[in-house]
Amino acid sequence: MVLLYMNLLKSSRFCSLSVHLTRNVQVHQHAGHPQKKAHSVSSEVCCPTRTNSVLCRATPTGLPWFVSSNGRMMYFRVSHKTASPSGRVLTQCRHHVHTSAPLRALPAPLIWMVLKPLQKLMAIILGRSIRKWWVALPDNRQQLMRKWAWQRRWHLAMGAAVAMVIVALLLLTHLDETPVTGRIRLLVFSRENYMELAAMASEAYMEEFAELLLPVTDPRHQVVELLAQQLAKNNKDIPEVSDVTWRVHVLENPDINAFVLPNGEIFVFTGMLDAVADVHQLTVLLGHEMAHAVLGHSVKQASLSHVVELLSFILLTAIWAMCPRDSLALLGQWVQGKLTQLMFSRPYSRILEAEADQVGLQLAAKACADVRAGPVFWQQMEIQCQLTGEPSLPEWLSTHPSHRNRSTQLDRLIPQALDLRESCSCPALPAADPRVVFSEMVHVLLEKAKDQESGGPHGANKPHLPHLICHWTACSSACPNCTSCFPKFRSREQGSNPSYSFKESCTYPFSCS
């Protein structure tokens, strides 16, 4: 711990430099005084920035000052080692002070992430030490301690109540208003701290994904770049959107994933591009990810986690102090960790995801996307999980809402999003509702699959349902009058695997090519 605090002190933004200068100072005759022998001076300089050279001049008040190479004026104290007659002033001295560049302080969230494991270790050591100390006490001493605590129970309760009030007041001073939604949120860390951490994370991701990045000339990158810029342009009235430079990175990865860092770095996997049916769904998903950055969800989640960890420290110390054996204490620690996740971390994460769905739909509506395609994506994901047999956790065990609940929630928000879209003077939407088209296609394809299964050997050649749904929806919802998409649909059904590009079916702003 001592070494850790020393490193933190070294990482401070302020540097204090004591430079002892011993130079010969030339003293000239002034006001008729004879010239004397040069004197030696010692100076102490405290500089917050790097100083390459120092120029000392005389001031009318007699206070020496110097100007560094960066143009800042800084005062320092000069003490003569030998007495100097009155009337003599320091007229000129030149020193070259070479200092090291100031070190940047580590972001507070990063320090907390480093100290988090140590905090749990300290709770274990403290609780175990209390237990050993109590066991080593004689029986009469233990009885006296219990009696003392019982006699002062009200004093102890009052002290605990005062401590809780102080903590509550401290948390109240860290309440803030969430952008867009206006909800009250708790922010222990500042947004600026997380911007620094996001810059560090961005550099790490760029190094990790360097070989997976698609070139900017790739059509898939251009589509995502176009949609992201359209989202940023149409939502520039939100300061959290206009103040950030949004950059797109598309990664060659089959995982269905996308994420945005607080500093506007957007990472989209090609698996996500294969999973969406059209540019409308992709716009809604990008709006969802950008909403996480706009709403500062990473800061909110870290703030809540920080408060929960402080409470867990007290509980974990009590567990290790009260359990008679280490094995029971380990079991209690495991139970405490799982309960913390189930009661605080995962429910709060689901709340943030639902909030990002709501705000992301609004961002997509202002970007003139067909927001009705948003619920369809999560219906597609639900059907795909059922057909592929992928195990799915119950929602109360997951950090994200279930596909069905997300689709239902977005469906409830569609009327408000359509009103917002209309208020932005967006082009009229096609009459075909993607939700209705998707439901009808699912019914038709399921009936066809049943017929093929009952038809004997032809059942083995039944079409792959997710691809049929996705590409049918892409053509019928985004471009209801297009015919170029349907040969792709038939070729998919016949078992071929042609390449699919968003630009082959529709172009921005979602009109037929």
Side-chain angles (χ1 to χ4, degrees), residues 345-380:
S345 302
R346 294 181 182 178
Y348 191 66
S349 178
R350 292 194 295 268
I351 292 175
L352 297 183
E353 290 295 330
E355 187 180 39
D357 282 342
Q358 176 185 357
V359 176
L361 197 66
Q362 297 176 11
L363 299 181
K366 294 172 66 175
C368 297
D370 189 350
V371 292
R372 300 173 298 179
V376 177
F377 173 78
W378 296 111
Q379 294 176 12
Q380 294 170 189

Side-chain angles (χ1 to χ4, degrees), residues 45-118:
V45 180
C46 180
C47 61
T49 56
R50 181 169 181 174
T51 304
N52 295 324
S53 63
V54 177
L55 176 63
C56 302
R57 297 183 183 277
T59 62
T61 59
L63 178 63
W65 56 275
F66 67 85
V67 181
S68 64
S69 59
N70 60 6
R72 294 185 179 182
M73 184 170 64
M74 308 166 69
Y75 292 92
F76 68 99
R77 185 176 64 254
V78 179
S79 59
H80 293 270
K81 292 185 177 180
T82 59
S84 175
S86 60
R88 296 179 181 176
V89 295
L90 181 63
T91 58
Q92 184 180 3
C93 69
R94 292 185 180 270
H95 301 295
H96 294 276
V97 183
H98 299 280
T99 65
S100 59
L103 300 178
R104 295 178 58 188
L106 295 177
L110 181 60
I111 297 176
W112 170 73
M113 292 171 60
V114 174
L115 294 179
K116 185 177 179 181
L118 297 179

Side-chain angles (χ1 to χ4, degrees), residues 190-400:
S190 65
R191 182 179 176 87
E192 289 74 16
N193 291 141
Y194 252 85
M195 284 297 184
E196 297 178 8
L197 184 60
M200 299 172 61
S202 176
E203 296 176 0
Y205 280 127
M206 294 301 293
E207 293 179 2
E208 180 182 356
F209 299 139
E211 299 180 356
L212 303 178
L213 289 173
L214 296 183
V216 295
T217 56
D218 192 286
R220 292 168 293 181
H221 183 280
Q222 294 177 354
V223 168
V224 180
E225 178 75 27
L226 182 65
L227 298 180
Q229 295 304 323
Q230 186 71 14
L231 282 166
K233 177 182 177 182
N234 288 29
N235 292 277
K236 60 183 180 180
D237 58 309
I238 304 175
E240 287 75 14
V241 175
S242 59
D243 294 344
V244 175
T245 302
W246 302 93
R247 299 183 180 88
V248 171
H249 311 283
V250 181
L251 310 175
E252 188 70 51
N253 192 308
D255 295 338
I256 303 177
N257 190 22
F259 61 93
V260 178
L261 298 179
N263 61 346
E265 301 288 339
I266 305 174
F267 294 85
V268 180
F269 292 7
T270 54
M272 177 64 76
L273 301 182
D274 296 334
V276 297
D278 53 25
V279 288
H280 302 284
Q281 293 184 3
L282 183 57
T283 304
V284 174
L285 293 176
L286 288 177
H288 167 87
E289 298 299 335
M290 292 175 66
H292 280 301
V294 171
L295 300 174
H297 281 172
S298 57
V299 186
K300 293 172 63 175
Q301 197 162 20
S303 299
L304 177 69
S305 179
H306 184 65
V307 175
V308 172
E309 287 295 329
L310 291 178
L311 298 177
S312 299
F313 176 85
I314 300 174
L315 182 59
L316 188 59
T317 302
I319 290 174
W320 278 88
M322 298 176 64
C323 290
R325 294 190 301 270
D326 290 347
S327 58
L328 294 177
L330 286 173
L331 179 61
Q333 178 181 345
W334 180 82
V335 172
Q336 179 261 340
K338 294 301 179 182
L339 289 177
T340 300
Q341 290 182 1
L342 295 177
M343 296 175 61
F344 295 100
S345 302
R346 294 181 182 178
Y348 191 66
S349 178
R350 292 194 295 268
I351 292 175
L352 297 183
E353 290 295 330
E355 187 180 39
D357 282 342
Q358 176 185 357
V359 176
L361 197 66
Q362 297 176 11
L363 299 181
K366 294 172 66 175
C368 297
D370 189 350
V371 292
R372 300 173 298 179
V376 177
F377 173 78
W378 296 111
Q379 294 176 12
Q380 294 170 189
M381 294 298 297
E382 182 182 8
I383 294 178
Q384 184 174 355
C385 290
Q386 293 175 357
L387 293 176
T388 57
E390 296 180 1
S392 57
L393 293 174
E395 182 176 302
W396 60 278
L397 288 176
S398 176
T399 57
H400 289 64

